[in-house]
Amino acid sequence: MSTVYIPTPLRKITNGQAKVQAEGRTVGEIIERLERAYPGLRARLCDESGDVKRFINVFVNGEEIRTLQGLQTPVKESDEVSVIPAMAGGKA
C-alpha cells in the first residue's frame, strides 16, 4: 500500500491521522479508496468535474501530478503521496 500524507486541515476527516495507507494503481484510484475509508475526503480534494481542485497540490514521491499524468499518474506500493493545500497571501 502507498503512504498518503494528509495535511492538517483535512485530518478531521481521517480521524486525526497525518498519514494513511491506501491501495491503488493510480492517484485517482487512491483517492477513490480514501473516499471509501474516509467519506467526504474526495469532495475536499476534487472539484465537480472530478479533477483535483486548483488550490490543492498532490505529489507522488515529490513530483506534482499536474506535471505527470494527473489523476492517471501511476502509483506503486512503495510510493509516497502527499496532499498539500496551496498557500496564498503574505506580505510583499
Side-chain angles (χ1 to χ4, degrees), residues 10-71:
L10 299 180
R11 290 182 190 162
K12 60 184 169 193
I13 298 171
T14 61
N15 303 315
Q17 297 178 82
K19 64 181 179 178
V20 296
Q21 301 293 311
E23 290 184 15
R25 292 173 289 152
T26 65
V27 172
E29 286 181 12
I30 285 179
I31 290 174
E32 288 304 314
R33 295 280 171 91
L34 290 174
E35 175 63 20
R36 286 187 216 135
Y38 307 103
L41 188 60
R42 181 181 44 213
R44 300 289 300 272
L45 299 178
C46 298
D47 61 22
E48 306 80 36
S49 65
D51 294 323
V52 175
K53 292 181 178 181
R54 63 181 180 85
F55 56 87
I56 299 287
N57 298 310
V58 179
F59 295 82
V60 174
N61 298 326
E63 290 192 59
E64 216 279 330
I65 65 168
R66 288 183 182 97
T67 65
L68 300 170
Q69 297 174 41
L71 291 173

